[in-house]
Amino acid sequence: MSSTDIAPDPHRGTLRGPRFWLAPLVVVAAVMSALAYFYLASMVNPTENLRDFPMAIVNQDIGDVMPGDDEPRNLGTEITAAILDGIDPAQIDMQEMGISAANSGLDNGSLYGAIVIPSDFTKRTSILAQGSVVPGDIEKPIITVYSNPRTGTFSTGIVDVIGDTAMTEVNNTVGEQLTAQVTNTLAETAPDLQLPGGSLLTLEEPINVLNVEHKPLPDGTGAGLSAFYFTLLLILAGFTGATIVNTLVDTALGFIPTEYGPLYINRETTRMSRLTVLFIKWGIIIVLSLIVSALYLWIGTALGMPVPRALLMWEYGALAITAVGVTSVSMMSVFGSAGLLVNLFIFIVLGLPSSGGTVPIEAMPKMFEWLSTFEPMHQIYIATRAILYFDGHGAAGLTHGVAMTFVGLAVGVLLGAIVTWLYDRRGFHRSTELPAVSESRESATRP
């Protein structure tokens, strides 16, 4: 047989071309670079990026007369003013409010922490000043810094840093004033009496600062990370599940070949419109969402994760998986193979760093705050957190999260249905059939 009997390999030129080798290198490098940039940019400088971090300061102090003073003072008011003057309002949104409003804000997650000055603060400080020269048992006045562990471990750490910084300054300022006041009073009333060293040490740091968690999380919540990881599972169920469903359905209908090890099976293409195939994939996603959401709850509870509102969590989990899965399938139906990259960017590359599940949105660059207004993972996270940690209260993020999840589902349905209908209408049918070899090509290859 002569060399002219063998048809030339149409792909040899493609293999030798630079595009064949550069395309995977460029695409993978670009995706990984995007992952590195967005992930690292969201968490490397939380202190510099801190802005509008919501906290409360509650002054319940009723005031009292301090030693050496003729008029009553309210140290709580003075400390509140000093704290507000000492913080950067662009970084920390320290709001003056009553104790009931502060508790409500901590309960629904709208506040990350609170500084509470009790009603007897000035009175206890006065007793401390008098007790430093008069024998007897005394107690330091107390200021309590409440953190909110249900908003995340990182936010709790930020509250502790803010509280420690503010309280150190307050202790120093009040300590200097008390020491000077007691020393002057003692010099006037008993000039031969010196202030004991122990009393001086007490007066230099007169305030007992208590760091307390508001409604601590039970065991099995991963120190406030279980809501984030459960959210990640819901996203992966929708995104990865949609990819698997899309591949298996297309394989079964003959739109793409099947490979099992060395076996290569190319089924006859089913004559179905793009829209019909899309409806089939959506139906499978919906059924899967109900099953997978139940499996997640079963596995989580078996591992000891508290789920106080199990039915609500199952319902919302199924909704979230459906929304992500339907949208993912729609993207792959609209963009083809490139839809996988689009889904990867929407749900993972941009979703994870803007979720707020690890680092609070208020401690990230503003770009991530903008992304969090529409990125699916953030909406699912705040709804999941509200169910797992805040008893399913709407104000804790459930109402907003559910509404945005329905919006995302509607976008996915409309995008997929409209575009695939247009593809069908314009004759862009899916087919694996190769064009027939022309008569001139056949005659040229005959001996």
Side-chain angles (χ1 to χ4, degrees):
M1 183 181 293
S2 65
S3 60
T4 56
D5 294 323
I6 302 175
D9 185 355
H11 301 292
R12 179 170 295 180
T14 302
L15 290 173
R16 291 178 177 175
R19 182 179 299 180
F20 176 83
W21 302 102
L22 287 177
L25 298 177
V26 171
V27 172
V28 173
V31 172
M32 294 304 107
S33 297
L35 279 170
Y37 172 77
F38 286 109
Y39 285 12
L40 296 178
S42 68
M43 49 74 64
V44 291
N45 289 312
T47 303
E48 293 181 7
N49 294 319
L50 192 66
R51 67 192 177 284
D52 299 328
F53 191 80
M55 290 185 63
I57 184 165
V58 180
N59 177 29
Q60 298 178 296
D61 191 14
I62 59 175
D64 203 349
V65 177
M66 296 291 295
D69 292 340
D70 296 329
E71 298 293 330
R73 292 177 61 186
N74 191 310
L75 293 181
T77 301
E78 296 176 13
I79 289 173
T80 299
I83 291 175
L84 293 175
D85 289 339
I87 64 172
D88 184 353
Q91 288 188 325
I92 305 168
D93 183 18
M94 189 72 73
Q95 309 164 32
E96 285 189 82
M97 60 180 66
I99 189 64
S100 59
N103 285 330
S104 178
L106 293 170
D107 287 341
N108 62 33
S110 60
L111 291 175
Y112 289 121
I115 298 174
V116 178
I117 304 172
S119 59
D120 60 351
F121 182 81
T122 302
K123 182 177 181 180
R124 282 183 176 273
T125 305
S126 176
I127 294 173
L128 177 67
Q130 297 174 30
S132 62
V133 293
V134 178
D137 295 332
I138 56 175
E139 294 182 359
K140 289 184 176 182
I142 295 173
I143 292 180
T144 306
V145 179
Y146 288 97
S147 59
N148 195 350
R150 295 168 189 263
T151 58
T153 304
F154 207 102
S155 62
T156 299
I158 294 176
V159 170
D160 290 341
V161 170
I162 293 172
D164 289 344
T165 303
M167 291 302 100
T168 298
E169 185 65 26
V170 167
N171 243 327
N172 292 337
T173 302
V174 175
E176 290 175 0
Q177 293 178 357
L178 276 183
T179 301
Q181 193 171 28
V182 171
T183 302
N184 293 336
T185 302
L186 196 61
E188 295 176 358
T189 57
D192 297 330
L193 186 64
Q194 291 186 345
L195 196 62
S199 297
L200 278 173
L201 290 175
T202 301
L203 290 176
E204 286 177 359
E205 193 173 340
I207 302 172
N208 184 18
V209 179
L210 301 180
N211 292 291
V212 178
E213 290 185 344
H214 178 81
K215 294 185 177 180
L217 285 166
D219 293 336
T221 58
L225 287 174
S226 62
F228 168 70
Y229 279 99
F230 203 87
T231 299
L232 184 57
L233 287 172
L234 295 176
I235 290 287
L236 289 175
F239 166 60
T240 310
T243 304
I244 296 172
V245 168
N246 186 72
T247 302
L248 292 178
V249 171
D250 282 351
T251 298
L253 297 179
F255 293 115
I256 58 175
T258 305
E259 287 188 85
Y260 297 106
L263 298 179
Y264 182 89
I265 304 171
N266 196 357
R267 294 183 175 89
E268 182 181 355
T269 303
T270 305
R271 300 297 181 179
M272 281 188 181
S273 67
R274 291 175 180 266
L275 185 58
T276 301
V277 174
L278 182 61
F279 285 158
I280 292 173
K281 294 173 182 177
W282 284 351
I284 296 174
I285 290 291
I286 292 172
V287 175
L288 273 176
S289 70
L290 300 173
I291 297 173
V292 174
S293 183
L295 287 173
Y296 279 174
L297 287 176
W298 175 64
I299 293 170
T301 52
L303 293 173
M305 186 183 82
V307 186
R309 300 291 298 277
L311 178 60
L312 181 60
M313 189 68 254
W314 173 72
E315 293 171 341
Y316 179 73
L319 172 64
I321 294 172
T322 298
V324 175
V326 164
T327 304
S328 296
V329 169
S330 294
M331 290 296 181
M332 288 182 280
S333 298
V334 170
F335 297 105
S337 300
L340 182 61
L341 286 177
V342 176
N343 289 332
L344 181 64
F345 267 87
I346 292 175
F347 297 111
I348 304 298
V349 176
L350 300 179
L352 272 172
S354 63
S355 67
T358 52
V359 180
I361 298 296
E362 293 83 359
M364 295 182 184
K366 289 186 177 181
M367 172 182 60
F368 295 98
E369 182 180 14
W370 173 73
L371 287 172
S372 70
T373 59
F374 61 86
E375 266 296 320
M377 190 174 290
H378 179 69
Q379 323 308 324
I380 295 174
Y381 169 69
I382 61 174
T384 301
R385 188 185 68 177
I387 296 172
L388 293 180
Y389 298 162
F390 295 101
D391 198 33
H393 289 169
L398 180 61
T399 301
H400 177 80
V402 170
M404 290 300 291
T405 305
F406 273 114
V407 170
L409 176 59
V411 170
V413 169
L414 291 175
L415 176 66
I418 293 173
V419 175
T420 53
W421 177 78
L422 289 174
Y423 286 169
D424 289 332
R425 186 175 178 84
R426 296 189 178 185
F428 297 129
H429 303 299
R430 305 177 73 188
S431 176
T432 58
E433 298 176 0
L434 295 176
V437 180
S438 64
E439 289 292 334
S440 60
R441 180 67 177 276
E442 288 184 354
S443 60
T445 57
R446 288 173 186 163

